[in-house]
Amino acid sequence: MDTRRPTIADVAKRAGVSKGLVSFVFNDKPGVAAPTRVRILAAAEELGWQPDPVARSLSTQRAAALGLVVRRDPTVLAADPFFPAFMAGVETALTERRQVLVLSLVPDAAAETATYRSLAAHRRVDGVLLTDLRHDDDRFPLLAELGLPAVCVGRPDVAGAFPVVNLDDAAGLRSAVDHLVGLGHRRIAYVGGDVGMLHGRRRRKSFLEALARHGLDPVGVVDTDFSAAAGARAVVELLAGAVLPTALVFASDPMAVAGLAVLQRQGVQVPRDCSVTGFDGMDLGRHLHPALTTVEADPLAWGRAAATVLLRLLDDGRADDLELPSAALVLRSSTAPPPDPPG
Amino acid sequence: MDTRRPTIADVAKRAGVSKGLVSFVFNDKPGVAAPTRVRILAAAEELGWQPDPVARSLSTQRAAALGLVVRRDPTVLAADPFFPAFMAGVETALTERRQVLVLSLVPDAAAETATYRSLAAHRRVDGVLLTDLRHDDDRFPLLAELGLPAVCVGRPDVAGAFPVVNLDDAAGLRSAVDHLVGLGHRRIAYVGGDVGMLHGRRRRKSFLEALARHGLDPVGVVDTDFSAAAGARAVVELLAGAVLPTALVFASDPMAVAGLAVLQRQGVQVPRDCSVTGFDGMDLGRHLHPALTTVEADPLAWGRAAATVLLRLLDDGRADDLELPSAALVLRSSTAPPPDPPG
């Protein structure tokens, strides 16, 4: 007597189908004709075969987890308004599907590469969300080599194999500039972010283009790392310049908040003497005095959409790009017409 | 002829040892005498048995991942200064050890329980970090039942089996009260957090006790959900009361920031007319005008310590409690002596 436990191969043989088809039926996938389905279930029943839960998860190749690898300094990450909201959005999509987020914070390029390799080698995640896209991003060839599906959070600067979930921030920056110029501002300065990141670069470009469309040059442009401390330093620098701006456009809300405080501390009243716009739409912005006029990007919705598209890609083998509503200017109390020119 | 593939039980039987000892040898664990080791390796060789990599990872029981299940509203989480910094701290400990954080955000008690059960059943994590401890927390019996190791982030109100990584926030609140009373304040109000959470409850108690030690009663106490919006509403309520406070103690920084703006908007100058203290030590606090006097709890260090203790527990089977430096008052510019009494 054969004491072997029956295998999926035995079931397939008895039902006269492939092992793949047996797997299909037991993983509740559509597309198997009803008579075949019944024949497979009957064969399994006769042989006393049941799919093993662990084998099942291995055969479906699903870890039921998405990965997010963030290459940033921990203290910068801790103070950034984008990631907590983005992750909360990802979680709202995952919770419904009983999936989890595997989060990894890495200090440098080597650790980043090692982490993606490890996630792929140990099948810890089914796919990853790519944030902080960089110029000619080296993660694209790496993930292609690893066979790890991904979704781009934002539009990359190279054509890639991964679906893109984009939220246009250029439109919001244009609106901020148009709003300020419409109020009568001509001396506008820009406190930008990290131009090593595509969104930092794109926001800077959008600001300059929007200003140029009005025939204006910026009074000053300062690149930073997006942090509040850097925003404060940038404003000190701009206030020491030859031409004082009447409006400051910031590439992040924490920088705008810190910049606003520097202005107030130096006796520059906002918005009477100088207007300020932020970028993010962080919750605290509406609770400041003056409440912060800002470009709202809804990172929570972005996270939710990115996770949803990645899950679709994993389910169906393909997913379309998704364009979210553009970041939009939210008018609050930190912008007003410029002061009358002296004399 | 027996066509069964050999199992670890066959190897153990042939070598005359337990299955555990075979596993020990193949997982390179120390403590197996050399002759026994040789006998086991010989038995495996003779039977043609090799440990399966997947079975091996299952037998070592390590997922190389820690879990964090947070039961909060996504929008509240997105705006909370504790979790991003705490998670960044956890990550600094995990990255060094090539481990990852599995994060899950759940809306309610049922989802929380289901998530812990799923994490345990699928061995997705080796242990979990317990934050937002509650009164008589139902996670303790659940995790004991699941056999899932854990570390308490903060001191629970019941004696438990899990190591505690504590950071005393009571001392910081006492310092805030002592500081304000020392400046001459007698009319002090408190804007607290969620008293369903132990830290919300404990901060409230610490405030009241510290005030009582000076023979004072609070001018007002408002419980909230820790959010900026709730902080703003609380200040509106307190300003409408019969006795105006000259100092406000907040249980979170976002509430303090929002409360400060409400005061400024109503023409109450901070700190000239009213002093304000926060709680968290979030980065933005130092960049406000006035810069926020606050109780700094260093959630980044807390996250790092909690993860380190949990990894130690997993490695050694035990870990001592750890008491971190207490949250400490950081004096900035939002506190000053009270205004002279009118008349």
Side-chain angles (χ1 to χ4, degrees):
Chain A
M1 180 190 159
D2 188 356
T3 57
R4 278 191 323 127
R5 291 232 310 254
T7 67
I8 191 168
D10 301 327
V11 177
K13 198 174 162 194
R14 188 175 197 108
V17 297
S18 68
K19 284 192 288 180
L21 218 53
V22 178
S23 171
F24 249 60
V25 166
F26 278 89
N27 287 304
D28 299 323
K29 299 234 177 136
V32 182
T36 312
R37 192 180 171 78
V38 168
R39 204 162 71 237
I40 290 169
L41 291 172
E45 171 89 35
E46 286 158 26
L47 291 171
W49 180 82
Q50 281 190 322
D52 173 64
V54 172
R56 182 175 172 148
S57 107
L58 291 177
S59 79
T60 56
Q61 302 270 350
R62 294 291 284 260
L66 303 187
L68 177 62
V69 181
V70 180
R71 183 170 130 194
R72 289 217 190 184
D73 181 87
T75 56
V76 172
L77 181 73
D80 184 279
F82 173 81
F83 278 100
F86 179 81
M87 286 193 283
V90 169
E91 290 287 349
T92 60
L94 293 187
T95 301
E96 288 165 11
R97 298 272 306 261
R98 305 225 163 200
Q99 311 244 336
V100 294
L101 178 67
V102 170
L103 179 67
S104 205
L105 184 63
V106 294
D108 52 36
E112 184 182 67
T113 302
T115 300
Y116 281 114
R117 287 193 181 282
S118 165
L119 290 177
H122 303 105
R123 284 200 204 109
R124 306 188 116 196
V125 297
D126 301 314
V128 292
L129 299 163
L130 295 177
T131 54
D132 286 344
L133 294 176
R134 302 184 293 261
H135 172 60
D136 198 11
D137 207 307
D138 50 1
R139 287 173 291 181
F140 296 141
L142 174 66
L143 294 176
E145 178 206 324
L146 297 173
L148 198 57
V151 159
C152 293
V153 179
R155 194 169 303 289
D157 62 352
V158 289
F162 302 126
V164 173
V165 177
N166 194 49
L167 189 156
D168 176 19
D169 45 11
L173 263 175
R174 258 196 319 273
S175 308
V177 170
D178 291 349
H179 166 63
L180 292 169
V181 173
L183 287 169
H185 290 275
R186 296 295 175 268
R187 304 202 309 267
I188 306 176
Y190 180 67
V191 180
D194 183 344
V195 291
M197 295 177 182
L198 285 188
H199 63 291
R201 192 182 288 223
R202 195 172 51 239
R203 286 180 200 169
R204 187 191 210 274
K205 186 161 168 276
S206 304
F207 168 79
L208 292 173
E209 284 175 359
L211 211 57
R213 208 165 301 153
H214 293 286
L216 295 171
D217 284 324
V219 164
V221 170
V222 184
D223 297 322
T224 75
D225 62 0
F226 282 119
S227 74
R233 281 194 301 271
V235 173
V236 170
E237 184 181 322
L238 288 168
L239 290 181
V243 182
L244 283 183
T246 62
L248 295 173
V249 173
F250 290 85
S252 85
D253 276 357
M255 295 200 296
V257 174
L260 206 145
V262 170
L263 292 169
Q264 293 174 327
R265 203 165 294 137
Q266 300 212 7
V268 179
Q269 281 205 33
V270 179
R272 197 197 62 186
D273 306 328
C274 185
S275 287
V276 165
T277 67
F279 195 108
D280 279 320
M282 70 182 210
D283 179 59
L284 217 45
R286 78 182 72 231
H287 295 292
L288 299 174
H289 178 70
L292 187 65
T293 291
T294 192
V295 179
E296 208 165 65
D298 202 349
L300 209 141
W302 204 349
R304 185 180 174 82
T308 303
V309 168
L310 182 49
L311 291 173
R312 192 174 304 147
L313 175 67
L314 296 170
D315 283 345
D316 304 343
R318 65 177 303 282
D320 290 329
D321 290 358
L322 182 63
E323 188 69 36
L324 297 173
S326 298
L329 187 68
V330 178
L331 293 180
R332 297 204 187 102
S333 318
S334 64
T335 47
D340 292 329
Chain B
M1 179 189 160
D2 189 354
T3 57
R4 276 192 324 128
R5 291 231 310 255
T7 66
I8 191 168
D10 301 326
V11 177
K13 198 174 162 195
R14 188 175 198 108
V17 299
S18 70
K19 284 191 288 180
L21 219 51
V22 178
S23 172
F24 249 59
V25 166
F26 279 89
N27 286 305
D28 300 322
K29 299 232 177 139
V32 182
T36 313
R37 192 179 171 79
V38 169
R39 204 163 70 238
I40 290 170
L41 292 172
E45 172 90 34
E46 286 158 26
L47 291 170
W49 180 82
Q50 281 191 322
D52 174 67
V54 171
R56 183 173 172 148
S57 108
L58 291 177
S59 79
T60 57
Q61 302 269 354
R62 293 294 283 260
L66 303 186
L68 177 63
V69 181
V70 180
R71 183 170 129 194
R72 290 216 188 183
D73 182 87
T75 55
V76 172
L77 182 72
D80 184 280
F82 174 81
F83 278 100
F86 179 81
M87 286 193 282
V90 169
E91 291 286 349
T92 61
L94 294 188
T95 300
E96 289 165 11
R97 298 271 307 260
R98 305 225 165 202
Q99 310 246 334
V100 294
L101 178 67
V102 169
L103 179 68
S104 204
L105 185 63
V106 294
D108 52 36
E112 184 182 67
T113 302
T115 300
Y116 281 114
R117 287 193 181 282
S118 165
L119 290 177
H122 303 104
R123 286 201 199 104
R124 308 187 115 195
V125 297
D126 301 314
V128 292
L129 299 164
L130 295 177
T131 55
D132 287 343
L133 294 176
R134 304 184 292 261
H135 172 59
D136 198 11
D137 206 307
D138 50 0
R139 286 173 292 181
F140 296 141
L142 174 65
L143 294 176
E145 179 206 324
L146 297 173
L148 198 57
V151 159
C152 293
V153 180
R155 194 169 303 289
D157 62 352
V158 288
F162 302 126
V164 173
V165 177
N166 193 49
L167 190 155
D168 176 21
D169 45 10
L173 262 174
R174 257 196 319 272
S175 309
V177 170
D178 291 350
H179 166 62
L180 292 169
V181 173
L183 286 169
H185 290 274
R186 296 294 175 269
R187 304 202 308 267
I188 306 176
Y190 180 67
V191 180
D194 183 344
V195 290
M197 296 177 183
L198 285 188
H199 63 292
R201 191 182 287 224
R202 194 173 51 239
R203 286 181 200 169
R204 188 190 209 274
K205 185 162 169 276
S206 306
F207 168 80
L208 292 173
E209 283 176 0
L211 211 56
R213 208 165 301 154
H214 293 286
L216 294 172
D217 283 324
V219 165
V221 170
V222 184
D223 297 322
T224 76
D225 62 0
F226 281 118
S227 73
R233 281 194 302 272
V235 172
V236 170
E237 184 182 323
L238 288 168
L239 290 181
V243 183
L244 283 183
T246 63
L248 296 173
V249 172
F250 289 86
S252 85
D253 276 357
M255 294 201 296
V257 174
L260 207 146
V262 170
L263 292 169
Q264 292 173 328
R265 204 165 291 137
Q266 301 211 8
V268 180
Q269 280 205 34
V270 178
R272 197 196 63 187
D273 306 328
C274 186
S275 287
V276 165
T277 67
F279 196 109
D280 279 319
M282 70 182 210
D283 179 58
L284 217 46
R286 77 181 74 232
H287 296 292
L288 299 174
H289 179 69
L292 188 64
T293 292
T294 192
V295 178
E296 209 164 65
D298 202 349
L300 208 141
W302 204 351
R304 186 181 174 81
T308 303
V309 169
L310 183 49
L311 291 173
R312 191 174 304 146
L313 175 66
L314 296 170
D315 283 345
D316 304 343
R318 66 177 303 282
D320 290 329
D321 289 359
L322 182 63
E323 188 68 36
L324 297 174
S326 297
L329 187 67
V330 178
L331 292 180
R332 297 204 188 103
S333 318
S334 65
T335 47
D340 293 329

